[in-house]
Amino acid sequence: MIKYILRRILYALPLLMGVNILSFILFFVVNSPDDMARMQLGQKHVTEQAVQNWKHQHGYDLPLLWNDRASSNKKMTETIFYQKSIGLFLLDFGVSDSGRNISEDIKQRMWPSLSIALPSLIVGLLVNISVALMMVLFRNSYLEFSSIVLCVILMSISSLFYIIGGQFFIGKLLKLVPISGYDTGFSAIKFLILPIVISVISGIGSGARWYRTLFLEEVEKDYVRTARAKGLTETQVLFKHVLKNAMIPILTGVVVVLPLLFMGSLIMESFFSIPGLGSYTIDAINSQDFAIVRAMVFLGSVLYIFGLILTDISYTIVDPRVRLS
Amino acid sequence: MRIVFLIIFNLLLSSCDLSQLNNPYSEADPNLSILYSSFSERPKRLDPATSYSTSENSFLAQIYEPPYQYSYLKRPYQLEPLSAKKLPVINYFNAQDVLLSGNFSANKIAYSEYIIEIKQGIKFQLHPAFIEANRHLSSDQIEKLTQLNDFTEQGTRELIAEDYVYQIKRLADPKVQSPIAEFMKEYIVGFGEFSQEVKDKKKIEIKSTPLSGVTVLSRYKYKIRIKGKYPQFKFWLAMNFFAPMPWEANEFYQQKGLGDKNISLNWYPIGTGPFFLEENNPNQRIVLTKNPNYHETFYPSEGEQVDKEKGLLKDAGRKLPFIDKVIYILEKETIPYWSKFLQGFYDASGISSDSFDQAVQFSASGNAQLTETMQDQGIRLQTSISTSIFYMGFNMLDPVIGGDSEHARKLRLAISIALDYEEYISIFMNGRGIPAQGVLPPEIFGNLEKKEGMNQYVYNWKNNNYQRKSIEKAEQLMTEAGYKSGVDPKTGEALVLYFDTTSVGAGARAMMNWYRKQFEKIGIKLVIRPTDYNRFQDKIRDGSGQIFTWGWNADYPDPENFFFLLYGPNGKVKFKGENAVNYQNSKFDQLFEQMRSMDDTEQRSQIIQQMQEIIRHDVPWVFGYHPKRFALYHQWFENIKPSFMAHKELKYLRIDATSREQKREQWNQAVFWPLIAALVLFILVLIPAINAFKKRSRKTVQ
């Protein structure tokens, strides 16, 4: 398995290089170094000289990908792409164009993101599985039918509506929790309740229906019939046998998103003023801060690849028939 | 198990104040005068030499003190000493460097000297940079640091003239990258030479490098020598760019490794102002705390006539500041902010379009007033016209719409009449603006009110008010311009004009349709060219745009700061200046040159009227509107007077924390019954289902 993981990591390197080149090209198609300088220097009294000074100081006065004027291998190394990218592979994200240490910011902002995303995932998973099991348990009854209708309704509502509606109802009318904000330590709990509740409720529709499909598929299998024939009750069949076997696709689906939980949620963090990583990239794009954009795209790609490797490994753990080679 | 339960219960108790479950603040604040505010965009930099944005200025203005400030209550805006002892003494010299005295014309002046004397005994805020050992840290010591508050030892020292001179040297240092460096090069003697000299030197070495035009005269007195006469320079001295900076700051912050921990001058300022930055977490919150070293400053005892009636002079003569702490919370969306304001967790609020109807209604006479719900909560409304202008610009280099031909002028004038900005303000701004009659906003010297200040080319004076000229007049102008019924004789079809805008997306569609409709009134087909801001700026820079909208917010309260936007030698395409429409009129330029070096006299006012007349006649702009700021304040928030200059108002504001606490308790009683009802309903639904399931299970077993 170690060989397999090492090979996957080596495969990831050209992939990351590709992502890096792509994000570099996309960024500089829209923004030129001059635009970046003007954005940082402000709108008033910005002279051409000031723009040139800024570019020189931040290393944006070099050619983008290829330096014709340089000699031999410097043609490639004395470029914005090389100078700004090489540190990424050592996970050195450097300093943002506004002068802040990006690694420090990421370290600081990933915890609030995680503090919403992780409980939302765990509670959401438990709730969705419970609802799905209940639907399967009461299948072919009014409860199942009304649950499916409810799930479809929940799926059809925009996530923004849940957020604004939740803030209005729970925060503004019932006054049970703060409408938005964040704090450190245990004081953060009261700020996290509402976003977690909202993200769980907004996910029930699609989650419960998906798990119900998985459970129904299992319920029809031979081993379930055998279990019933042995005289087990329906609850014993569902919780002891069906749930265990249906966990394989559930678990692998969860593992792949685990690393991406660090990246946070843009809308949720924005509406609840949670200082996470979700809005970090968007803010950077708006302020044309290339250093942050490339760091976040790179980090996202690394985490995604890591998630895929974890998924592969989790297959071997939950299903002994799978072997990595 | 019981212990675990108790721990969890205690933790929950500690995290939630049960009297106000929805209180977002953990500080125990009933006895402290804390002002709660927000920021939607994290500040990029808090260095007075580089920061030039209004949002950053709202923090910096409380921390740094330049020599001068604008009077808090007096209008029109007036300069008064802040850290300076008195207003600057200005001496003029001719080309031979001889002091001019008596009556002399402005064109004889080759140099002006500003002599500034500062108050004695002013001290900097406490800061680790003032302890010598902290300026020579070992790498191990730096490694252990995470934030500025980790320093146990802090010091201070007296403010001296050298600190002001040092800051001006920083403005000139290319490594600092001040946005006004290139601009100041034109004015301050020796500024450009100094930049060249220090560009390869270490930051700290600027201290020992002389700047010929800026010199220390004594411990508390310094002199700035500028080229020619530039009366507006005194306004620059009220900006943070000219606030003092101790040289120790540079020595402290340049230590290797501190920057990696975000400990830099950009994030931890060192000032002499009424507040200091106690906590800077731009990802979450920024806290300003009352500076214990703040010098004696008192609430003003003079203001406008109405200030006494409004109770703004109640605190006259009292020591400033009144507020102990200001907490700014990162709040990106307007809806949560608005809800928290109504719950009493923010002390003031603007009004977004979403909540405008909930907050404001217009009386039959057109006056804005608060709705009953707002009045019941004791909320107060304040409106004020900002010192800004938003205009539609015509590129004067464009062959169709630009140029000084009579045809093009009449075409521009016809558009000016057709473009109904009264309607625009009503539809898109909820009435928050006034149509502009010229280049100058109210409260700027030279602006005239009512009939005297009317743009007679676009408006008539009727029933004691402005009335836009009829569309027939615009159609007549179109005919005179050679476009009868809007038809372009070259194509035989409707004249096509191009509007470059950065307003894109579904939200801007209604506004773009409105613009199209306005141009259609006179038969013109308007083609909207949406673009991102970078490309838009490119088009303005290379002169390929035709029609666009833009705005200007005053740096200082002087007409020069608006008219320079139309001064020929400031043309965007030819000279890379701020004249985005590339307007050039030699008579206007001549009057501008004369006006900018004059003091505020009757003669200057007359010249300004001539300049307004030229612009109204030539129509390089459609004068759009001056925005009107609507702000809401809770009853416990006192001494509020809107100011659009320098933003130093925080020290004058007062909060009645006891009253606020009472109101918060009254407004924030948690409601539990809907939750209990929902739980009961769920159980009621579940019981028959469980029974049915049990029945079915039994059947299976049988």
Side-chain angles (χ1 to χ4, degrees):
Chain A
M1 191 199 277
I2 293 169
K3 268 187 188 171
Y4 173 82
I5 294 169
L6 281 175
R7 204 167 59 232
R8 286 293 300 268
I9 290 171
L10 286 175
Y11 285 161
L13 289 176
L15 204 64
L16 288 173
M17 180 63 90
V19 168
N20 205 7
I21 293 175
L22 202 64
S23 59
F24 181 85
I25 291 170
L26 285 176
F27 187 91
F28 282 103
V29 163
V30 183
N31 310 293
S32 67
D34 283 41
D35 296 333
M36 292 165 67
R38 286 197 177 88
M39 180 58 96
Q40 295 297 327
L41 291 168
Q43 299 301 321
K44 290 180 169 180
H45 307 297
V46 178
T47 60
E48 208 46 45
Q49 189 55 46
V51 170
Q52 295 309 324
N53 287 348
W54 186 91
K55 280 162 55 183
H56 179 68
Q57 192 128 357
H58 289 82
Y60 288 107
D61 55 346
L62 297 169
L64 289 175
L65 285 162
W66 188 255
N67 192 343
D68 264 340
R69 290 180 189 171
S71 59
S72 61
N73 62 337
K74 282 187 178 171
K75 281 184 188 295
M76 220 164 127
T77 56
E78 288 201 350
T79 58
I80 296 176
F81 177 74
Y82 184 86
Q83 300 285 334
K84 302 285 174 189
S85 300
I86 199 71
L88 291 178
F89 288 91
L90 304 168
L91 290 182
D92 174 13
F93 298 131
V95 178
S96 74
D97 293 336
S98 60
R100 277 184 77 85
N101 185 312
I102 297 172
S103 299
E104 283 292 315
D105 269 354
I106 291 175
K107 266 188 234 163
Q108 196 183 48
R109 294 181 76 135
M110 74 180 191
W111 298 114
S113 286
L114 213 55
S115 63
I116 295 187
L118 205 58
S120 300
L121 180 79
I122 295 167
V123 178
L125 204 61
L126 291 175
V127 170
N128 292 347
I129 289 174
S130 307
V131 173
L133 280 173
M134 195 188 76
M135 282 156 75
V136 174
L137 195 65
F138 296 113
R139 64 186 175 279
N140 303 323
S141 71
Y142 77 94
L143 201 67
E144 191 205 18
F145 178 73
S146 43
S147 300
I148 293 171
V149 172
L150 193 67
C151 280
V152 173
I153 293 171
L154 288 174
M155 277 169 70
S156 316
I157 298 171
S158 143
S159 59
L160 209 61
F161 180 83
Y162 284 107
I163 294 171
I164 296 173
Q167 284 183 328
F168 179 76
F169 185 68
I170 301 174
K172 195 174 175 185
L173 291 186
L174 305 188
K175 303 173 182 95
L176 295 173
V177 287
I179 289 169
S180 68
Y182 190 75
D183 212 337
T184 47
F186 288 112
S187 304
I189 294 172
K190 64 178 174 184
F191 295 103
L192 297 176
I193 294 170
L194 188 55
I196 292 171
V197 166
I198 288 173
S199 73
V200 168
I201 291 175
S202 63
I204 288 178
S206 54
R209 284 199 69 208
W210 163 239
Y211 296 140
R212 174 182 163 271
T213 315
L214 296 177
F215 294 144
L216 282 178
E217 213 172 281
E218 291 294 321
V219 158
E220 302 301 324
K221 287 188 175 166
D222 289 345
Y223 73 90
V224 177
R225 202 176 303 129
T226 313
R228 283 202 194 111
K230 280 198 309 185
L232 295 182
T233 62
E234 191 63 17
T235 41
Q236 281 172 318
V237 170
L238 271 180
F239 287 95
K240 278 192 176 168
H241 297 279
V242 174
L243 181 59
K244 199 174 170 186
N245 283 289
M247 279 311 278
I248 299 170
I250 295 174
L251 200 66
T252 48
V254 169
V255 170
V256 75
V257 298
L258 272 180
L260 290 174
L261 295 181
F262 288 94
M263 302 299 283
S265 149
L266 167 67
I267 299 177
M268 204 59 117
E269 287 176 7
S270 194
F271 268 84
F272 287 99
S273 298
I274 307 282
L277 284 175
S279 52
Y280 193 46
T281 318
I282 297 296
D283 287 349
I285 292 170
N286 289 337
S287 60
Q288 298 179 15
D289 199 323
F290 175 64
I292 298 177
V293 174
R294 82 194 147 91
M296 291 306 292
V297 171
F298 187 83
L299 186 66
S301 314
V302 168
L303 290 172
Y304 190 68
I305 291 166
F306 182 58
L308 289 176
I309 297 173
L310 276 186
T311 314
D312 288 352
I313 296 167
S314 68
Y315 268 124
T316 63
I317 296 168
V318 294
D319 190 347
R321 291 168 298 178
V322 178
R323 288 282 175 275
L324 300 176
S325 59
Chain B
M1 188 66 191
R2 208 176 279 174
I3 294 169
V4 173
F5 175 76
L6 274 174
I7 291 171
I8 294 171
F9 185 71
N10 276 329
L11 285 176
L12 284 174
L13 267 188
S14 67
S15 64
C16 304
D17 176 5
L18 288 174
S19 64
Q20 289 172 46
L21 287 174
N22 57 343
N23 189 335
Y25 309 120
S26 50
E27 279 87 0
D29 63 347
N31 302 319
L32 270 183
S33 182
I34 300 178
L35 172 68
Y36 292 98
S37 189
S38 76
F39 60 104
S40 59
E41 204 178 292
R42 62 186 211 161
K44 282 182 196 157
R45 54 186 80 84
L46 293 175
D47 181 343
T50 56
S51 172
Y52 204 177
S53 83
T54 314
S55 57
E56 288 159 0
N57 194 34
S58 63
F59 301 109
L60 281 179
Q62 323 312 327
I63 300 166
Y64 287 101
E65 284 196 330
Y68 303 101
Q69 66 172 0
Y70 295 98
S71 164
Y72 183 53
L73 298 177
K74 290 178 187 169
R75 297 290 181 277
Y77 293 101
Q78 282 181 32
L79 274 187
E80 63 180 23
L82 179 56
S83 54
K85 217 170 180 175
K86 55 187 180 192
L87 288 173
V89 174
I90 308 168
N91 295 321
Y92 299 105
F93 297 85
N94 65 13
Q96 287 74 45
D97 216 7
V98 175
L99 181 68
L100 295 166
S101 56
N103 287 332
F104 52 87
S105 67
N107 55 16
K108 280 193 176 169
I109 300 170
Y111 301 103
S112 311
E113 264 184 12
Y114 285 67
I115 296 167
I116 299 153
E117 188 177 359
I118 59 163
K119 290 172 187 163
Q120 297 183 18
I122 295 178
K123 283 188 171 175
F124 279 99
Q125 65 173 83
L126 289 172
H127 196 281
F130 293 113
I131 303 291
E132 197 179 347
N134 290 337
R135 300 200 296 271
H136 308 287
L137 297 168
S138 66
S139 52
D140 284 347
Q141 284 172 309
I142 290 175
E143 190 55 42
K144 284 176 198 157
L145 297 167
T146 55
Q147 53 179 340
L148 196 74
N149 291 348
D150 292 343
F151 286 93
T152 46
E153 270 195 285
Q154 296 191 324
T156 183
R157 72 158 168 81
E158 193 190 19
L159 172 75
I160 51 172
E162 174 78 48
D163 300 318
Y164 292 88
V165 174
Y166 186 73
Q167 169 69 356
I168 299 171
K169 288 179 180 176
R170 289 187 74 235
L171 297 178
D173 184 354
K175 293 185 287 300
V176 174
Q177 290 183 348
S178 173
I180 63 162
E182 293 300 316
F183 184 75
M184 282 299 149
K185 210 181 264 181
E186 304 296 314
Y187 290 104
I188 297 177
V189 174
F191 199 90
E193 294 79 355
F194 181 85
S195 292
Q196 281 300 315
E197 201 179 339
V198 299
K199 73 175 181 192
D200 297 321
K201 288 184 179 177
K202 282 183 183 172
K203 274 185 184 177
I204 195 67
E205 286 178 46
I206 61 170
K207 185 174 181 275
S208 53
T209 313
L211 197 169
S212 61
V214 186
T215 44
V216 174
L217 299 176
S218 71
R219 186 172 169 86
Y220 302 109
K221 205 186 267 185
Y222 67 104
K223 181 179 80 179
I224 305 172
R225 191 174 171 88
I226 62 168
K227 296 166 195 167
K229 188 184 180 188
Y230 180 42
Q232 291 74 29
F233 188 71
K234 61 180 182 286
F235 297 119
W236 284 97
L237 295 174
M239 290 193 196
N240 292 322
F241 293 114
F242 288 85
M245 179 61 67
W247 62 269
E248 292 91 336
N250 257 355
E251 193 174 81
F252 173 76
Y253 284 120
Q254 73 167 8
Q255 295 179 91
K256 212 177 169 190
L258 284 184
D260 293 340
K261 293 168 186 291
N262 292 331
I263 301 176
S264 69
L265 192 56
N266 258 340
W267 303 105
Y268 293 101
I270 310 181
T272 57
F275 297 91
F276 71 93
L277 192 75
E278 189 194 348
E279 183 185 333
N280 185 3
N281 179 356
N283 298 323
Q284 189 182 334
R285 68 177 209 166
I286 292 172
V287 179
L288 298 182
T289 303
K290 191 194 260 190
N291 177 8
N293 284 351
Y294 190 52
H295 57 100
E296 286 206 326
T297 313
F298 301 95
Y299 192 90
S301 50
E302 287 176 35
E304 283 183 291
Q305 193 61 38
V306 288
D307 290 341
K308 199 168 186 181
E309 294 155 27
K310 288 181 179 172
L312 284 169
L313 289 171
K314 271 192 295 185
D315 286 318
R318 286 184 62 194
K319 198 176 171 215
L320 300 174
F322 300 126
I323 289 170
D324 296 312
K325 200 181 256 199
V326 193
I327 299 180
Y328 297 91
I329 313 279
L330 179 68
E331 197 82 67
K332 292 183 98 66
E333 300 293 330
T334 53
I335 296 173
Y337 184 96
W338 173 247
S339 300
K340 280 155 89 174
F341 167 71
L342 293 181
Q343 291 177 336
F345 297 120
Y346 283 119
D347 300 305
S349 172
I351 313 176
S352 69
S353 306
D354 303 323
S355 44
F356 191 82
D357 292 337
Q358 193 189 342
V360 177
Q361 60 193 13
F362 286 93
S363 65
S365 57
N367 289 330
Q369 57 188 41
L370 287 171
T371 56
E372 267 182 45
T373 331
M374 297 293 119
Q375 285 176 21
D376 290 346
Q377 268 197 279
I379 291 169
R380 289 167 295 153
L381 170 71
Q382 267 203 355
T383 62
S384 46
I385 310 288
S386 64
T387 46
S388 316
I389 184 165
F390 284 84
Y391 60 87
M392 174 175 271
F394 300 112
N395 180 8
M396 297 298 278
L397 301 177
D398 184 83
V400 179
I401 200 88
D404 51 8
S405 73
E406 194 58 9
H407 291 290
R409 188 189 74 82
K410 284 186 171 164
L411 172 61
R412 295 193 296 268
L413 190 54
I415 294 170
S416 282
I417 294 169
L419 212 57
D420 188 348
Y421 263 105
E422 289 78 7
E423 191 179 88
Y424 178 95
I425 292 165
S426 167
I427 297 174
F428 299 108
M429 300 182 67
N430 299 106
R432 285 176 286 184
I434 57 164
Q437 299 296 319
V439 179
L440 301 179
E443 297 197 352
I444 297 289
F445 180 81
N447 175 65
L448 299 180
E449 299 291 325
K450 301 205 168 167
K451 196 178 176 185
E452 288 72 34
M454 187 182 74
N455 178 1
Q456 73 279 12
Y457 295 95
V458 176
Y459 290 88
N460 293 322
W461 185 252
K462 207 171 177 185
N463 300 331
N464 213 22
N465 214 339
Y466 305 121
Q467 191 177 60
R468 188 170 285 276
K469 287 188 193 289
S470 66
I471 202 70
E472 287 76 27
K473 174 71 185 166
E475 283 167 349
Q476 184 199 329
L477 284 164
M478 285 295 284
T479 308
E480 288 169 22
Y483 302 103
K484 194 177 179 192
S485 305
V487 175
D488 184 353
K490 285 181 195 158
T491 60
E493 289 177 7
L495 174 66
V496 179
L497 294 178
Y498 297 93
F499 179 47
D500 289 291
T501 176
T502 53
S503 304
V504 288
R509 201 171 296 151
M511 192 185 287
M512 293 307 118
N513 285 337
W514 181 85
Y515 276 119
R516 272 195 208 103
K517 223 175 93 183
Q518 302 302 306
F519 279 75
E520 273 170 18
K521 284 190 217 167
I522 46 174
I524 297 174
K525 187 182 173 190
L526 187 70
V527 176
I528 309 284
R529 293 196 295 204
T531 178
D532 65 78
Y533 194 59
N534 291 336
R535 299 293 78 75
F536 174 77
Q537 282 188 307
D538 286 346
K539 283 182 180 179
I540 301 299
R541 267 196 300 275
D542 63 24
S544 59
Q546 194 175 49
I547 301 173
F548 57 90
T549 52
W550 221 341
W552 182 258
N553 194 16
D555 288 313
Y556 43 81
D558 193 88
E560 179 263 356
N561 196 234
F562 285 90
F563 284 119
F564 91 115
L565 299 170
L566 292 157
Y567 179 51
N570 275 344
K572 191 65 113 183
V573 173
K574 281 188 195 161
F575 308 103
K576 309 284 176 209
E578 300 285 353
N579 177 355
V581 292
N582 304 295
Y583 173 68
Q584 185 142 27
N585 178 312
S586 52
K587 175 72 181 160
F588 177 87
D589 291 349
Q590 190 193 333
L591 287 170
F592 176 81
E593 282 157 17
Q594 198 182 342
M595 180 276 300
R596 72 174 166 186
S597 58
M598 289 174 80
D599 297 317
D600 287 348
T601 56
E602 182 52 37
Q603 197 197 347
R604 193 182 196 217
S605 177
Q606 282 170 10
I607 292 174
I608 289 168
Q609 302 323 314
Q610 288 178 48
M611 294 169 76
Q612 292 267 45
E613 168 60 25
I614 293 171
I615 297 300
R616 284 168 183 157
H617 174 268
D618 288 356
V619 210
W621 290 2
V622 177
F623 306 112
Y625 60 92
H626 307 297
K628 196 174 189 179
R629 189 170 72 172
F630 278 46
L632 300 176
Y633 303 95
H634 278 297
Q635 54 197 285
W636 54 76
F637 202 3
E638 301 281 352
N639 295 343
I640 303 147
K641 177 143 186 177
S643 169
F644 295 96
M645 293 292 153
H647 305 285
K648 293 223 172 272
E649 62 273 15
L650 213 57
K651 62 185 171 193
Y652 302 103
L653 303 178
R654 193 156 52 78
I655 293 280
D656 181 353
T658 318
S659 159
R660 176 172 62 189
E661 190 56 24
Q662 283 168 359
K663 290 292 172 192
R664 276 187 189 171
E665 285 214 18
Q666 188 188 326
W667 295 340
N668 295 291
Q669 296 295 322
V671 182
F672 288 102
W673 69 260
L675 282 190
I676 298 166
L679 194 68
V680 170
L681 190 71
F682 180 69
I683 293 168
L684 286 177
V685 172
L686 211 60
I687 289 171
I690 291 169
N691 286 339
F693 171 73
K694 277 182 181 169
K695 221 182 259 179
R696 208 173 62 181
S697 298
R698 265 187 240 117
K699 264 185 197 169
T700 317
V701 172
Q702 282 161 8

